[in-house]
Amino acid sequence: VFKLYNKKAPEGKIKEINQLLAAVLGVEQSGVYEALEKLLDRLIKRKPLREYGMQESDIEDFANSVIAFQQRLLNNNYVPFDREDFIGIYTRLY
C-alpha cells in the first residue's frame, strides 16, 4: 500500500514518512520499502493470501467488497484507490 501511495503521490506527505523511515532504517529513500519489508519479516512471518485460503478467483470479489463496505476507512486513505488498484494489491499479495 505504501508503495502505491508513493507511486500515486510521491511529493505529498508520503515523502515525509519516506525520509523518516530512511533515517531510522539507515537506507536511501529509494530502498526504504524493501528495508521496511525485511524488518517486518523478522517480526512477523508474512504469508501469501492463498495460504489463508483465498482463491485467485476471489481477488475481484474481495476488491469489490472492500469498496462496498470499507468506505469509512477508504475515506482516510492518503490518496484514493480505485478497483484496479485494489485488484493489483491483492494480486501481488496472492
Side-chain angles (χ1 to χ4, degrees):
V1 171
F2 276 100
K3 287 178 184 179
L4 188 54
Y5 284 160
N6 194 57
K7 181 180 176 184
K8 287 184 161 244
E11 295 302 321
K13 291 182 180 181
I14 196 75
K15 188 173 184 176
E16 295 174 31
I17 193 69
N18 290 346
Q19 292 170 339
L20 175 66
L21 289 171
V24 169
L25 297 169
V27 299
E28 297 291 325
Q29 286 187 49
S30 61
V32 73
Y33 299 124
E34 290 75 16
L36 184 59
E37 284 179 7
K38 286 180 185 177
L39 174 64
L40 293 175
D41 283 344
R42 294 184 70 182
L43 300 173
I44 302 169
K45 180 177 175 9
R46 285 185 303 150
K47 298 188 292 188
L49 294 175
R50 67 181 148 274
E51 289 190 25
Y52 293 102
M54 180 182 248
Q55 302 296 315
E56 191 169 8
S57 60
D58 295 333
I59 291 173
E60 288 190 29
D61 289 338
F62 195 75
N64 292 336
S65 176
V66 168
I67 292 166
F69 300 111
Q70 298 298 324
Q71 285 302 310
R72 184 178 59 84
L73 297 173
L74 296 179
N75 288 334
N76 291 305
N77 268 3
Y78 169 61
V79 292
F81 286 167
D82 61 24
R83 182 177 180 275
E84 295 307 312
D85 292 328
F86 288 114
I87 289 172
I89 290 168
Y90 300 132
T91 298
R92 283 187 293 282
L93 296 173
Y94 179 73

Coordinates of all heavy atoms in Angstrom, one line a residue:
V1 N 0.8 -1.2 0.0 CA 0.0 0.0 0.0 C 0.9 1.3 0.0 O 0.6 2.2 -0.8 CB -1.0 0.0 1.2 CG1 -1.7 1.3 1.3 CG2 -2.0 -1.1 1.1
F2 N 1.9 1.3 0.8 CA 2.8 2.4 0.8 C 3.5 2.6 -0.5 O 3.6 3.7 -1.0 CB 3.9 2.2 1.9 CG 3.5 2.7 3.3 CD1 3.1 1.8 4.2 CD2 3.5 4.0 3.6 CE1 2.6 2.1 5.5 CE2 3.1 4.4 4.9 CZ 2.6 3.5 5.8
K3 N 3.9 1.5 -1.2 CA 4.5 1.6 -2.5 C 3.5 2.3 -3.5 O 3.9 3.1 -4.3 CB 4.9 0.3 -3.0 CG 6.1 -0.3 -2.3 CD 6.4 -1.7 -2.9 CE 7.6 -2.3 -2.1 NZ 7.9 -3.6 -2.7
L4 N 2.2 1.9 -3.4 CA 1.2 2.5 -4.3 C 1.0 4.0 -3.9 O 0.9 4.8 -4.8 CB -0.1 1.7 -4.3 CG -1.1 2.1 -5.3 CD1 -0.6 2.0 -6.7 CD2 -2.3 1.1 -5.2
Y5 N 0.9 4.3 -2.7 CA 0.8 5.7 -2.3 C 1.9 6.5 -2.9 O 1.7 7.6 -3.4 CB 0.9 5.8 -0.7 CG -0.3 5.4 0.1 CD1 -0.2 5.1 1.4 CD2 -1.6 5.4 -0.5 CE1 -1.3 4.8 2.2 CE2 -2.7 5.0 0.3 CZ -2.6 4.8 1.6 OH -3.6 4.4 2.4
N6 N 3.1 6.0 -2.7 CA 4.3 6.7 -3.2 C 4.3 6.8 -4.7 O 4.7 7.9 -5.2 CB 5.6 5.9 -2.8 CG 6.8 6.7 -2.9 OD1 6.9 7.8 -2.4 ND2 7.8 6.2 -3.7
K7 N 3.8 5.8 -5.4 CA 3.7 5.9 -6.9 C 2.7 7.0 -7.3 O 2.9 7.7 -8.2 CB 3.3 4.6 -7.4 CG 3.2 4.5 -8.9 CD 2.8 3.1 -9.4 CE 2.6 3.1 -10.9 NZ 2.2 1.8 -11.3
K8 N 1.6 7.0 -6.6 CA 0.5 7.9 -7.0 C 0.7 9.4 -6.6 O 0.3 10.3 -7.3 CB -0.9 7.4 -6.4 CG -1.4 6.2 -7.1 CD -2.8 5.9 -6.5 CE -3.5 5.0 -7.4 NZ -4.7 5.6 -8.0
A9 N 1.4 9.6 -5.4 CA 1.6 11.0 -5.0 C 2.9 11.1 -4.2 O 2.9 11.3 -3.0 CB 0.4 11.4 -4.1
P10 N 4.0 11.0 -4.9 CA 5.3 10.9 -4.2 C 5.7 12.2 -3.6 O 6.6 12.2 -2.7 CB 6.3 10.5 -5.3 CG 5.6 11.0 -6.6 CD 4.1 10.8 -6.3
E11 N 5.1 13.3 -3.9 CA 5.6 14.6 -3.4 C 4.7 15.1 -2.2 O 4.9 16.2 -1.7 CB 5.6 15.7 -4.5 CG 6.6 15.4 -5.6 CD 8.0 15.3 -5.0 OE1 8.4 16.1 -4.1 OE2 8.7 14.4 -5.5
G12 N 3.8 14.3 -1.8 CA 2.9 14.7 -0.6 C 3.5 14.3 0.7 O 4.7 14.1 0.9
K13 N 2.6 14.0 1.6 CA 3.0 13.6 3.0 C 3.9 12.3 3.0 O 4.6 12.0 3.9 CB 1.8 13.4 3.9 CG 1.2 14.7 4.2 CD 0.0 14.6 5.1 CE -0.6 15.9 5.4 NZ -1.7 15.8 6.4
I14 N 3.7 11.4 1.9 CA 4.4 10.2 1.9 C 5.9 10.5 1.8 O 6.7 9.7 2.3 CB 4.0 9.3 0.7 CG1 4.4 7.9 0.8 CG2 4.4 9.9 -0.6 CD1 3.7 7.1 1.8
K15 N 6.3 11.6 1.2 CA 7.7 12.0 1.2 C 8.3 12.1 2.6 O 9.4 11.7 2.8 CB 7.9 13.2 0.3 CG 9.3 13.6 0.1 CD 9.4 14.8 -0.9 CE 10.8 15.1 -1.3 NZ 10.9 16.1 -2.3
E16 N 7.5 12.7 3.5 CA 8.0 12.9 4.8 C 8.2 11.6 5.5 O 9.2 11.4 6.2 CB 6.9 13.7 5.6 CG 6.8 15.1 5.1 CD 5.7 15.9 5.8 OE1 5.4 15.6 7.0 OE2 5.1 16.8 5.2
I17 N 7.2 10.6 5.4 CA 7.4 9.3 6.0 C 8.5 8.6 5.4 O 9.3 7.8 6.1 CB 6.1 8.5 6.0 CG1 6.1 7.3 6.9 CG2 5.7 8.0 4.6 CD1 6.2 7.6 8.4
N18 N 8.8 8.7 4.1 CA 9.9 8.1 3.5 C 11.2 8.6 4.0 O 12.1 7.8 4.3 CB 9.9 8.3 1.9 CG 8.8 7.6 1.3 OD1 8.1 6.7 1.8 ND2 8.5 7.9 0.0
Q19 N 11.3 9.9 4.3 CA 12.5 10.5 4.8 C 12.7 9.9 6.3 O 13.8 9.6 6.6 CB 12.4 12.0 4.8 CG 12.5 12.6 3.5 CD 12.1 14.1 3.5 OE1 11.5 14.6 4.4 NE2 12.6 14.8 2.4
L20 N 11.7 9.9 7.0 CA 11.8 9.4 8.4 C 12.2 8.0 8.4 O 13.1 7.6 9.2 CB 10.4 9.6 9.1 CG 10.4 9.0 10.5 CD1 11.3 9.8 11.5 CD2 9.0 9.1 11.1
L21 N 11.5 7.1 7.6 CA 11.9 5.7 7.6 C 13.3 5.5 7.1 O 14.0 4.6 7.6 CB 10.9 4.9 6.7 CG 9.4 4.8 7.3 CD1 8.5 4.2 6.2 CD2 9.4 3.9 8.6
A22 N 13.7 6.2 6.1 CA 15.0 6.1 5.6 C 16.1 6.4 6.7 O 17.1 5.7 6.8 CB 15.3 7.0 4.4
A23 N 15.8 7.4 7.4 CA 16.7 7.8 8.5 C 16.8 6.7 9.6 O 17.8 6.3 10.1 CB 16.3 9.2 9.1
V24 N 15.6 6.3 10.0 CA 15.5 5.3 11.1 C 16.2 3.9 10.6 O 16.9 3.3 11.4 CB 14.1 5.0 11.5 CG1 13.9 3.8 12.4 CG2 13.5 6.3 12.2
L25 N 15.9 3.5 9.4 CA 16.4 2.3 8.9 C 17.8 2.3 8.3 O 18.4 1.3 8.0 CB 15.5 1.7 7.8 CG 14.0 1.4 8.3 CD1 13.1 1.2 7.1 CD2 14.0 0.2 9.2
G26 N 18.4 3.5 8.2 CA 19.7 3.7 7.7 C 19.9 3.4 6.2 O 20.9 2.8 5.9
V27 N 18.9 3.7 5.4 CA 19.0 3.4 4.0 C 18.6 4.7 3.2 O 18.1 5.6 3.7 CB 18.0 2.3 3.6 CG1 18.4 1.0 4.3 CG2 16.5 2.6 3.9
E28 N 18.9 4.6 1.9 CA 18.4 5.6 1.0 C 16.9 5.6 0.8 O 16.3 4.5 1.0 CB 19.1 5.5 -0.4 CG 20.6 5.6 -0.4 CD 21.1 7.0 -0.1 OE1 20.4 8.0 -0.6 OE2 22.1 7.1 0.5
Q29 N 16.3 6.7 0.5 CA 14.9 6.7 0.4 C 14.4 5.8 -0.7 O 13.3 5.2 -0.6 CB 14.4 8.1 0.1 CG 14.4 9.0 1.3 CD 13.8 10.4 1.0 OE1 12.7 10.4 0.5 NE2 14.5 11.4 1.4
S30 N 15.2 5.6 -1.7 CA 14.8 4.7 -2.8 C 14.6 3.2 -2.3 O 13.9 2.4 -3.0 CB 15.7 4.7 -4.0 OG 17.0 4.3 -3.5
G31 N 15.3 2.8 -1.2 CA 15.2 1.5 -0.7 C 14.4 1.3 0.6 O 14.5 0.3 1.2
V32 N 13.7 2.3 0.9 CA 13.0 2.3 2.2 C 12.0 1.2 2.4 O 11.9 0.6 3.4 CB 12.4 3.7 2.5 CG1 11.2 4.0 1.7 CG2 12.1 3.9 4.0
Y33 N 11.2 0.9 1.3 CA 10.2 -0.1 1.5 C 10.8 -1.5 1.5 O 10.2 -2.3 2.2 CB 9.1 0.1 0.4 CG 8.4 1.4 0.4 CD1 8.4 2.2 -0.7 CD2 7.8 1.8 1.6 CE1 7.8 3.5 -0.6 CE2 7.2 3.1 1.7 CZ 7.2 3.9 0.6 OH 6.6 5.1 0.7
E34 N 11.8 -1.7 0.8 CA 12.5 -3.0 0.8 C 13.1 -3.2 2.2 O 12.9 -4.3 2.8 CB 13.5 -3.1 -0.3 CG 13.0 -3.2 -1.7 CD 12.5 -1.9 -2.2 OE1 12.8 -0.8 -1.7 OE2 11.7 -1.9 -3.2
A35 N 13.7 -2.2 2.8 CA 14.3 -2.3 4.1 C 13.2 -2.5 5.2 O 13.3 -3.3 6.1 CB 15.1 -1.1 4.4
L36 N 12.1 -1.8 5.0 CA 10.9 -2.0 5.9 C 10.4 -3.4 5.9 O 10.1 -4.0 6.9 CB 9.9 -0.9 5.6 CG 8.7 -0.9 6.6 CD1 9.1 -0.7 8.0 CD2 7.7 0.2 6.1
E37 N 10.2 -3.9 4.6 CA 9.7 -5.3 4.5 C 10.7 -6.3 5.2 O 10.2 -7.2 5.9 CB 9.6 -5.7 3.0 CG 8.4 -5.0 2.4 CD 8.3 -5.4 0.9 OE1 9.1 -6.2 0.4 OE2 7.4 -4.8 0.2
K38 N 12.0 -6.1 5.0 CA 12.9 -7.0 5.7 C 12.8 -6.9 7.2 O 12.8 -8.0 7.9 CB 14.4 -6.7 5.3 CG 14.7 -7.1 3.9 CD 16.1 -6.7 3.5 CE 16.4 -7.0 2.1 NZ 17.8 -6.6 1.7
L39 N 12.7 -5.7 7.7 CA 12.5 -5.6 9.2 C 11.2 -6.3 9.6 O 11.2 -7.0 10.6 CB 12.5 -4.1 9.5 CG 12.1 -3.8 11.0 CD1 13.2 -4.3 11.9 CD2 11.9 -2.3 11.2
L40 N 10.1 -6.0 9.0 CA 8.8 -6.6 9.4 C 8.8 -8.1 9.2 O 8.2 -8.8 10.0 CB 7.7 -6.0 8.6 CG 7.4 -4.5 8.8 CD1 6.4 -3.9 7.9 CD2 7.1 -4.2 10.3
D41 N 9.5 -8.6 8.2 CA 9.7 -10.1 8.0 C 10.4 -10.7 9.2 O 10.1 -11.9 9.5 CB 10.4 -10.4 6.7 CG 9.5 -10.3 5.5 OD1 8.3 -10.2 5.7 OD2 10.1 -10.2 4.4
R42 N 11.2 -10.0 9.9 CA 11.9 -10.5 11.1 C 11.0 -10.6 12.3 O 11.2 -11.3 13.2 CB 13.1 -9.7 11.4 CG 14.2 -9.8 10.3 CD 15.4 -9.1 10.6 NE 16.1 -9.8 11.7 CZ 17.2 -9.4 12.3 NH1 17.8 -8.3 11.9 NH2 17.7 -10.1 13.2
L43 N 9.9 -9.7 12.3 CA 9.0 -9.7 13.4 C 7.8 -10.6 13.2 O 7.4 -11.3 14.1 CB 8.5 -8.2 13.5 CG 9.5 -7.2 13.8 CD1 8.9 -5.8 13.8 CD2 10.2 -7.4 15.2
I44 N 7.3 -10.6 12.0 CA 6.1 -11.4 11.7 C 6.3 -12.1 10.3 O 6.6 -11.4 9.3 CB 4.8 -10.5 11.5 CG1 4.6 -9.7 12.8 CG2 3.6 -11.3 11.2 CD1 3.6 -8.6 12.7
K45 N 6.1 -13.4 10.3 CA 6.2 -14.1 9.1 C 5.0 -13.8 8.2 O 3.9 -14.0 8.5 CB 6.3 -15.6 9.3 CG 6.4 -16.5 8.0 CD 6.6 -17.9 8.4 CE 6.6 -18.8 7.2 NZ 6.7 -18.4 5.9
R46 N 5.4 -13.2 7.0 CA 4.3 -12.9 6.0 C 4.0 -14.2 5.2 O 5.0 -14.9 4.8 CB 4.7 -11.8 5.1 CG 4.7 -10.5 5.8 CD 5.0 -9.3 4.8 NE 6.3 -9.6 4.2 CZ 6.6 -9.1 3.0 NH1 5.7 -8.5 2.2 NH2 7.8 -9.4 2.5
K47 N 2.8 -14.4 4.9 CA 2.4 -15.5 4.0 C 1.5 -14.9 2.9 O 0.8 -13.9 3.1 CB 1.6 -16.5 4.8 CG 2.4 -17.2 5.9 CD 1.7 -18.3 6.6 CE 0.4 -17.9 7.3 NZ -0.2 -19.0 8.1
P48 N 1.6 -15.6 1.8 CA 0.7 -15.1 0.7 C -0.8 -15.3 1.1 O -1.1 -16.2 1.9 CB 1.1 -15.9 -0.5 CG 2.0 -17.0 0.0 CD 2.4 -16.7 1.4
L49 N -1.7 -14.6 0.5 CA -3.1 -14.7 0.8 C -3.6 -16.1 0.5 O -4.5 -16.5 1.2 CB -3.9 -13.7 0.0 CG -3.6 -12.2 0.3 CD1 -4.4 -11.3 -0.6 CD2 -4.0 -11.9 1.8
R50 N -3.1 -16.8 -0.5 CA -3.5 -18.1 -0.8 C -3.3 -19.1 0.4 O -4.1 -20.0 0.6 CB -2.9 -18.7 -2.0 CG -1.4 -18.9 -2.0 CD -0.9 -19.5 -3.3 NE 0.5 -19.0 -3.5 CZ 0.9 -17.9 -4.1 NH1 0.0 -17.0 -4.4 NH2 2.1 -17.6 -4.3
E51 N -2.3 -18.8 1.3 CA -2.1 -19.6 2.4 C -3.2 -19.4 3.5 O -3.2 -20.1 4.5 CB -0.7 -19.5 3.0 CG 0.3 -20.1 2.1 CD 1.7 -20.1 2.7 OE1 1.8 -20.1 3.9 OE2 2.7 -20.1 1.9
Y52 N -3.9 -18.3 3.4 CA -5.0 -18.1 4.3 C -6.4 -18.5 3.7 O -7.4 -18.3 4.3 CB -5.1 -16.6 4.6 CG -3.9 -16.1 5.4 CD1 -2.9 -15.4 4.8 CD2 -3.8 -16.3 6.8 CE1 -1.8 -14.9 5.5 CE2 -2.7 -15.9 7.5 CZ -1.7 -15.2 6.9 OH -0.6 -14.7 7.6
G53 N -6.3 -19.2 2.6 CA -7.5 -19.7 2.0 C -8.1 -18.9 0.8 O -9.1 -19.4 0.2
M54 N -7.5 -17.8 0.5 CA -8.0 -17.1 -0.6 C -7.7 -17.8 -1.9 O -6.6 -18.3 -2.1 CB -7.4 -15.7 -0.7 CG -7.9 -14.8 -1.8 SD -7.1 -13.2 -1.8 CE -8.5 -12.1 -1.4
Q55 N -8.7 -17.8 -2.8 CA -8.5 -18.3 -4.2 C -8.2 -17.2 -5.1 O -8.7 -16.0 -4.9 CB -9.7 -19.1 -4.6 CG -10.1 -20.3 -3.7 CD -9.1 -21.3 -3.7 OE1 -8.5 -21.7 -4.7 NE2 -8.7 -21.8 -2.5
E56 N -7.5 -17.4 -6.2 CA -7.3 -16.3 -7.1 C -8.6 -15.8 -7.7 O -8.7 -14.6 -7.9 CB -6.4 -16.9 -8.3 CG -5.9 -15.8 -9.2 CD -4.8 -16.3 -10.1 OE1 -4.6 -17.5 -10.2 OE2 -4.2 -15.4 -10.8
S57 N -9.6 -16.6 -7.8 CA -10.9 -16.2 -8.3 C -11.6 -15.3 -7.3 O -12.6 -14.6 -7.6 CB -11.7 -17.4 -8.6 OG -11.9 -18.2 -7.5
D58 N -11.1 -15.2 -6.0 CA -11.7 -14.3 -5.0 C -11.2 -12.9 -5.1 O -11.8 -12.0 -4.4 CB -11.4 -14.9 -3.6 CG -12.0 -16.2 -3.3 OD1 -13.0 -16.6 -3.9 OD2 -11.4 -17.0 -2.5
I59 N -10.1 -12.7 -5.8 CA -9.5 -11.3 -5.7 C -10.4 -10.2 -6.1 O -10.6 -9.2 -5.4 CB -8.2 -11.3 -6.6 CG1 -7.1 -12.2 -5.9 CG2 -7.7 -9.9 -6.8 CD1 -5.9 -12.4 -6.7
E60 N -11.1 -10.4 -7.3 CA -12.0 -9.3 -7.7 C -13.2 -9.1 -6.7 O -13.6 -8.0 -6.4 CB -12.5 -9.6 -9.1 CG -11.4 -9.4 -10.2 CD -11.9 -9.4 -11.6 OE1 -13.1 -9.0 -11.8 OE2 -11.1 -9.8 -12.5
D61 N -13.7 -10.2 -6.3 CA -14.8 -10.1 -5.3 C -14.4 -9.4 -4.0 O -15.1 -8.6 -3.4 CB -15.4 -11.5 -5.0 CG -16.2 -12.1 -6.1 OD1 -16.6 -11.3 -7.0 OD2 -16.3 -13.3 -6.1
F62 N -13.2 -9.7 -3.6 CA -12.7 -9.1 -2.4 C -12.5 -7.6 -2.6 O -12.8 -6.8 -1.7 CB -11.4 -9.8 -2.0 CG -10.9 -9.5 -0.6 CD1 -11.6 -10.1 0.5 CD2 -9.9 -8.6 -0.3 CE1 -11.2 -9.8 1.8 CE2 -9.5 -8.3 1.0 CZ -10.1 -8.9 2.0
A63 N -11.9 -7.2 -3.7 CA -11.7 -5.8 -4.0 C -13.1 -5.1 -4.1 O -13.2 -4.0 -3.5 CB -11.0 -5.6 -5.4
N64 N -14.1 -5.7 -4.7 CA -15.4 -5.1 -4.7 C -16.0 -5.0 -3.3 O -16.6 -4.0 -3.0 CB -16.4 -6.0 -5.6 CG -16.0 -5.9 -7.0 OD1 -15.3 -5.0 -7.5 ND2 -16.4 -7.0 -7.8
S65 N -15.8 -6.0 -2.5 CA -16.3 -5.9 -1.1 C -15.6 -4.8 -0.3 O -16.3 -4.1 0.5 CB -16.0 -7.3 -0.4 OG -16.4 -7.2 0.9
V66 N -14.3 -4.6 -0.5 CA -13.7 -3.5 0.3 C -14.3 -2.2 -0.2 O -14.6 -1.3 0.7 CB -12.1 -3.6 0.0 CG1 -11.5 -2.3 0.5 CG2 -11.5 -4.8 0.7
I67 N -14.5 -2.0 -1.5 CA -15.0 -0.8 -2.0 C -16.4 -0.6 -1.4 O -16.8 0.5 -1.0 CB -15.0 -0.7 -3.5 CG1 -13.5 -0.6 -4.0 CG2 -15.8 0.4 -4.0 CD1 -13.3 -0.9 -5.4
A68 N -17.2 -1.6 -1.4 CA -18.6 -1.5 -1.0 C -18.8 -1.3 0.5 O -19.7 -0.6 1.0 CB -19.4 -2.8 -1.4
F69 N -17.9 -1.9 1.3 CA -18.2 -2.0 2.8 C -17.1 -1.3 3.7 O -17.3 -1.3 4.9 CB -18.4 -3.4 3.2 CG -19.5 -4.1 2.5 CD1 -19.3 -5.1 1.6 CD2 -20.8 -3.7 2.8 CE1 -20.3 -5.7 1.0 CE2 -21.9 -4.3 2.1 CZ -21.6 -5.3 1.2
Q70 N -16.1 -0.7 3.1 CA -15.0 -0.1 3.9 C -14.8 1.3 3.6 O -13.7 1.9 3.8 CB -13.7 -0.9 3.7 CG -13.7 -2.4 4.1 CD -14.0 -2.5 5.6 OE1 -13.6 -1.8 6.4 NE2 -14.7 -3.6 5.9
Q71 N -15.9 2.0 3.2 CA -15.7 3.4 2.9 C -15.2 4.3 4.0 O -14.5 5.3 3.8 CB -17.1 4.0 2.3 CG -17.3 3.5 0.9 CD -16.3 3.9 -0.1 OE1 -15.8 5.1 -0.1 NE2 -15.8 3.0 -0.8
R72 N -15.6 4.0 5.2 CA -15.2 4.7 6.4 C -13.7 4.7 6.4 O -13.0 5.8 6.7 CB -15.8 4.2 7.7 CG -15.4 5.0 8.9 CD -16.0 4.4 10.1 NE -15.7 3.0 10.4 CZ -14.5 2.6 11.0 NH1 -13.7 3.5 11.5 NH2 -14.3 1.4 11.2
L73 N -13.0 3.6 6.2 CA -11.6 3.5 6.2 C -11.0 4.1 4.9 O -10.0 4.8 4.9 CB -11.1 2.1 6.3 CG -11.5 1.4 7.6 CD1 -11.2 -0.1 7.5 CD2 -10.8 2.0 8.8
L74 N -11.6 3.9 3.8 CA -11.1 4.3 2.5 C -11.1 5.9 2.4 O -10.2 6.5 1.7 CB -11.9 3.7 1.3 CG -11.8 2.2 1.2 CD1 -12.6 1.7 0.0 CD2 -10.3 1.8 1.0
N75 N -12.1 6.5 3.1 CA -12.1 7.9 3.1 C -10.9 8.6 3.7 O -10.7 9.8 3.5 CB -13.4 8.4 3.7 CG -14.6 8.2 2.9 OD1 -14.5 8.1 1.7 ND2 -15.8 8.0 3.5
N76 N -10.2 7.8 4.5 CA -9.0 8.3 5.2 C -7.7 8.0 4.5 O -6.6 8.2 5.0 CB -8.9 7.8 6.6 CG -10.0 8.4 7.4 OD1 -10.2 9.6 7.5 ND2 -10.9 7.6 8.0
N77 N -7.8 7.3 3.3 CA -6.6 7.0 2.5 C -5.8 8.2 2.2 O -6.4 9.3 1.9 CB -6.9 6.3 1.2 CG -7.0 4.8 1.3 OD1 -6.8 4.2 2.4 ND2 -7.3 4.1 0.2
Y78 N -4.5 8.1 2.1 CA -3.6 9.2 1.7 C -4.0 9.7 0.3 O -4.1 10.9 0.0 CB -2.2 8.7 1.7 CG -1.2 9.6 1.1 CD1 -1.0 10.9 1.5 CD2 -0.4 9.1 0.0 CE1 0.0 11.7 1.0 CE2 0.5 10.0 -0.6 CZ 0.7 11.2 -0.1 OH 1.6 12.1 -0.7
V79 N -4.2 8.7 -0.6 CA -4.7 9.0 -2.0 C -5.8 8.0 -2.3 O -5.8 6.9 -1.8 CB -3.6 9.0 -3.1 CG1 -2.6 10.1 -2.9 CG2 -2.9 7.6 -3.1
P80 N -6.8 8.4 -3.1 CA -7.8 7.4 -3.4 C -7.3 6.2 -4.2 O -6.5 6.4 -5.1 CB -8.8 8.2 -4.3 CG -8.4 9.7 -4.1 CD -7.0 9.7 -3.7
F81 N -7.9 5.1 -3.9 CA -7.6 3.9 -4.7 C -8.8 3.5 -5.5 O -9.9 3.6 -5.0 CB -7.2 2.7 -3.8 CG -5.8 2.8 -3.2 CD1 -5.5 1.9 -2.2 CD2 -4.9 3.7 -3.6 CE1 -4.2 1.9 -1.6 CE2 -3.6 3.7 -3.1 CZ -3.3 2.8 -2.1
D82 N -8.7 3.0 -6.7 CA -9.8 2.5 -7.5 C -9.8 1.0 -7.4 O -8.9 0.4 -6.8 CB -9.8 3.1 -8.9 CG -8.6 2.7 -9.7 OD1 -7.9 1.7 -9.4 OD2 -8.3 3.4 -10.7
R83 N -10.8 0.4 -8.0 CA -10.9 -1.0 -8.1 C -9.7 -1.7 -8.6 O -9.2 -2.7 -8.0 CB -12.2 -1.4 -8.9 CG -12.5 -2.9 -9.0 CD -13.8 -3.1 -9.8 NE -14.1 -4.5 -9.8 CZ -13.6 -5.3 -10.8 NH1 -12.8 -4.9 -11.7 NH2 -14.0 -6.6 -10.8
E84 N -9.1 -1.2 -9.7 CA -7.9 -1.8 -10.3 C -6.7 -1.7 -9.3 O -5.9 -2.7 -9.3 CB -7.6 -1.1 -11.6 CG -8.6 -1.4 -12.7 CD -9.0 -2.8 -12.9 OE1 -8.1 -3.7 -13.0 OE2 -10.2 -3.2 -12.9
D85 N -6.6 -0.7 -8.5 CA -5.6 -0.6 -7.5 C -5.7 -1.7 -6.5 O -4.7 -2.4 -6.1 CB -5.6 0.8 -6.8 CG -5.2 1.9 -7.7 OD1 -4.4 1.8 -8.6 OD2 -5.8 3.0 -7.4
F86 N -6.9 -1.9 -6.0 CA -7.1 -3.0 -5.0 C -6.8 -4.4 -5.6 O -6.2 -5.2 -5.0 CB -8.5 -3.0 -4.5 CG -8.8 -1.8 -3.5 CD1 -9.7 -0.8 -3.9 CD2 -8.1 -1.8 -2.3 CE1 -9.9 0.2 -3.0 CE2 -8.3 -0.7 -1.4 CZ -9.2 0.3 -1.8
I87 N -7.3 -4.6 -6.9 CA -7.0 -5.8 -7.5 C -5.5 -6.1 -7.6 O -5.0 -7.1 -7.4 CB -7.7 -5.9 -8.9 CG1 -9.2 -6.0 -8.6 CG2 -7.2 -7.1 -9.7 CD1 -10.1 -5.9 -9.9
G88 N -4.8 -5.0 -8.0 CA -3.3 -5.1 -8.1 C -2.7 -5.5 -6.8 O -1.7 -6.3 -6.7
I89 N -3.1 -4.8 -5.7 CA -2.5 -5.1 -4.4 C -2.8 -6.6 -4.0 O -1.9 -7.3 -3.6 CB -3.2 -4.2 -3.3 CG1 -2.7 -2.7 -3.5 CG2 -2.8 -4.6 -1.9 CD1 -3.4 -1.7 -2.7
Y90 N -4.0 -7.0 -4.1 CA -4.3 -8.4 -3.7 C -3.7 -9.4 -4.7 O -3.3 -10.5 -4.2 CB -5.9 -8.6 -3.7 CG -6.5 -7.7 -2.7 CD1 -7.6 -6.9 -3.0 CD2 -6.0 -7.5 -1.4 CE1 -8.2 -6.1 -2.1 CE2 -6.6 -6.7 -0.5 CZ -7.7 -6.0 -0.9 OH -8.3 -5.1 0.0
T91 N -3.5 -9.1 -5.9 CA -2.8 -10.0 -6.8 C -1.4 -10.1 -6.4 O -0.8 -11.2 -6.4 CB -3.0 -9.5 -8.3 OG1 -4.3 -9.4 -8.6 CG2 -2.2 -10.4 -9.3
R92 N -0.7 -9.0 -6.1 CA 0.7 -9.1 -5.6 C 0.8 -9.9 -4.3 O 1.8 -10.6 -4.1 CB 1.3 -7.7 -5.5 CG 1.6 -7.1 -6.8 CD 2.4 -5.8 -6.7 NE 1.6 -4.7 -6.1 CZ 0.7 -4.0 -6.8 NH1 0.4 -4.2 -8.0 NH2 0.0 -3.0 -6.2
L93 N -0.2 -9.8 -3.5 CA -0.1 -10.5 -2.2 C -0.6 -11.9 -2.3 O -0.4 -12.7 -1.4 CB -1.0 -9.7 -1.2 CG -0.5 -8.4 -0.8 CD1 -1.5 -7.7 0.1 CD2 0.9 -8.4 -0.2
Y94 N -1.2 -12.3 -3.4 CA -1.7 -13.6 -3.6 C -0.6 -14.6 -3.7 O -0.6 -15.7 -3.1 CB -2.6 -13.7 -4.8 CG -3.2 -15.1 -5.0 CD1 -4.2 -15.6 -4.2 CD2 -2.7 -15.9 -6.0 CE1 -4.7 -16.9 -4.4 CE2 -3.2 -17.2 -6.2 CZ -4.2 -17.7 -5.3 OH -4.6 -19.0 -5.5

